[in-house]
Amino acid sequence: MAVNHLRGLRLLLCQSLVRPIRGAPVLPARHAIPAFFPSGSCQPAACTRLYATKKAKAKTKGQAAKVNISATLVEDIISLEEVKDDMTAVVNALKDDFTRNLSIRTSPGALDHIIVSTQDGKFPLNQLGQVSMKSPQLIMVNMSSYPEATAAAARALRESSMNLNPEVDGAIIKVPVPKVTREHRENLAKTAKQFSNKAKDSLRRVRSNAVAQVKKAKEGHSEDTIRLVEKQIQQMADNITSDIDKQLAAKTKELLS
């Protein structure tokens, strides 16, 4: 009975899509139209089923994966704001590394970020010596104020990722500016990739520590709540990973263009 009704409804749909055709073949008895079906015959038409496109499916899937939990509801489990701040700090540190170590511009300020390790602690190079531009191809660092830190400053310059080869002349450090060749740009791009991988490692540690903290709070909370908090943390990590990839793509384009 149910099958016959379904067949009748299918025919009703097909008839509504096409005009009646005279002389159409009479349907077999097993496909008889129910009493409520209007009299007349029709040429059955192919019924097309509409499928969602891959793009639409991906969009729907992405929307379903989004999680948004109120921080006040889970504050006794973990502080989501602190986790977000720790993850954001990873991106900010990456931006700082890019700015300090991967500049192809030549200026005295390009060496300001160099940190020199001395017996009294770690200090920026520009606090220990006077940095000046002697020529477009040479930077001079006058260490007369702290001559005992000259060797340490030269070592810091040499060990930086700027491909520098400083020369020490008394309390003066001469820093030849490397020519910006295609090879040098490609090396900087590789260094940018290394910095981004390092940032992703730091991000994974932040996420793992947060998830571990959530798992410790299973007592007194439902499994659904714990699962939602973990998904929220993963979603935050995914967003930061996307930011890291964008920063790397922009820096690579800048270095190679």
Side-chain angles (χ1 to χ4, degrees), residues 156-240:
L157 289 165
R158 191 174 298 108
E159 293 176 354
S160 70
S161 59
M162 299 181 67
N163 193 30
L164 302 176
N165 188 24
E167 302 173 2
V168 179
D169 184 8
I172 302 297
I173 302 177
K174 300 178 181 179
V175 186
V177 177
K179 185 178 180 180
V180 184
T181 61
R182 182 67 182 180
E183 181 181 2
H184 180 57
R185 289 176 179 270
E186 292 176 352
N187 288 334
L188 290 179
K190 292 180 181 178
T191 304
K193 179 66 175 179
Q194 294 173 0
F195 279 132
S196 68
N197 289 338
K198 180 181 176 182
K200 289 182 179 180
D201 289 340
S202 298
L203 178 63
R204 280 191 286 268
R205 285 193 295 270
V206 173
R207 182 191 61 79
S208 297
N209 293 337
V211 171
Q213 182 178 344
V214 172
K215 290 184 180 298
K216 291 180 180 179
K218 283 187 176 181
E219 294 293 337
H221 297 89
S222 67
E223 293 183 0
D224 289 341
T225 300
I226 297 298
R227 192 178 299 110
L228 286 175
V229 175
E230 291 177 352
K231 287 184 178 180
Q232 177 73 35
I233 294 172
Q234 183 61 54
Q235 180 176 302
M236 294 163 60
D238 291 342
N239 292 337
I240 297 299

Side-chain angles (χ1 to χ4, degrees), residues 94-113:
L94 177 64
K95 294 178 181 179
D96 192 44
D97 284 337
F98 282 174
T99 302
R100 289 181 173 184
N101 302 301
L102 302 178
S103 176
I104 58 177
R105 301 170 185 171
T106 303
S107 66
L111 304 181
D112 288 349
H113 71 281

Side-chain angles (χ1 to χ4, degrees), residues 13-26:
L13 175 61
C14 292
Q15 186 182 33
S16 65
L17 296 177
V18 299
R19 296 179 178 178
I21 299 178
R22 296 178 181 178
V26 180

Side-chain angles (χ1 to χ4, degrees), residues 54 69 98 131-132 137 165 170 214 253:
K54 292 183 178 180
I69 303 177
F98 282 174
V131 184
S132 59
Q137 291 77 37
N165 188 24
V214 172
K253 182 178 180 180

Side-chain angles (χ1 to χ4, degrees), residues 7-21 24-25 27 37 41-49:
R7 290 172 178 169
L9 290 175
R10 180 181 178 185
L11 293 174
L12 176 61
L13 175 61
C14 292
Q15 186 182 33
S16 65
L17 296 177
V18 299
R19 296 179 178 178
I21 299 178
L27 295 175
F37 194 86
S41 61
C42 70
Q43 180 69 28
C47 298
T48 305
R49 181 179 177 182

Side-chain angles (χ1 to χ4, degrees), residues 19 59 91 114 120:
R19 296 179 178 178
K59 183 177 180 181
V91 179
I114 300 293
D120 298 326

Side-chain angles (χ1 to χ4, degrees), residues 75-91:
E75 58 185 2
D76 57 332
I77 300 177
I78 192 173
S79 174
L80 294 177
E81 288 298 326
E82 290 183 4
V83 175
K84 182 178 180 180
D85 291 342
D86 291 342
M87 291 184 175
T88 303
V90 172
V91 179

